[in-house]
Amino acid sequence: MTTERQDDGLPERWSAQRKTEVVLRVIRGEALDEVAREIQVPVDELEEWRRVFLESGQQGLTRRGLDPEERELRRLQAKIGDMTMRLSDLRLHRGVL
């Protein structure tokens, strides 16, 4: 089993080090929703990483997260939400409601 997704190169499981790097981007001021979209992790999961990091540091991020099926479901739900928002924006800009 590989740790890389074959379709986009993003890890299927995130190491504590990688989670820390992402959380630090958010703490430094990058928009949470933009970072979540870029790394294809649901916003609520990224918020959880940030909360755990602020409470227990990198050590807290070493615990095992969701199983692969649940992670994929959340990733796809986030992607659908993003696509829905983009479609809504396009309709709004074109005057179609």
Side-chain angles (χ1 to χ4, degrees):
M1 181 172 159
T2 181
T3 60
E4 295 292 319
R5 288 187 185 149
Q6 297 200 352
D7 59 344
D8 55 19
L10 294 172
E12 194 170 297
R13 286 189 39 203
W14 291 80
S15 69
Q17 178 64 36
R18 292 280 312 265
K19 287 179 184 178
T20 300
E21 291 168 6
V22 171
V23 167
L24 289 175
R25 288 175 56 189
V26 174
I27 291 172
R28 288 182 185 125
E30 288 189 52
L32 182 77
D33 58 335
E34 290 177 15
V35 173
R37 187 178 316 122
E38 177 188 324
I39 66 170
Q40 298 180 10
V41 169
V43 171
D44 62 321
E45 188 171 349
L46 184 49
E47 287 175 328
E48 176 70 6
W49 292 358
R50 179 177 56 183
R51 184 191 64 73
V52 168
F53 179 80
L54 291 173
E55 289 177 359
S56 8
Q58 186 174 1
Q59 199 65 9
L61 295 175
T62 60
R63 65 185 175 147
R64 186 171 275 234
L66 303 170
D67 63 56
E69 292 85 15
E70 182 67 23
R71 185 178 298 108
E72 180 67 4
L73 176 61
R74 286 190 178 191
R75 185 185 72 81
L76 292 172
Q77 287 171 331
K79 193 169 214 161
I80 289 169
D82 180 53
M83 292 172 71
T84 301
M85 287 177 50
R86 289 177 188 218
L87 181 59
S88 178
D89 286 347
L90 283 173
R91 288 181 177 159
L92 182 64
H93 289 330
R94 292 185 180 178
V96 178
L97 296 177

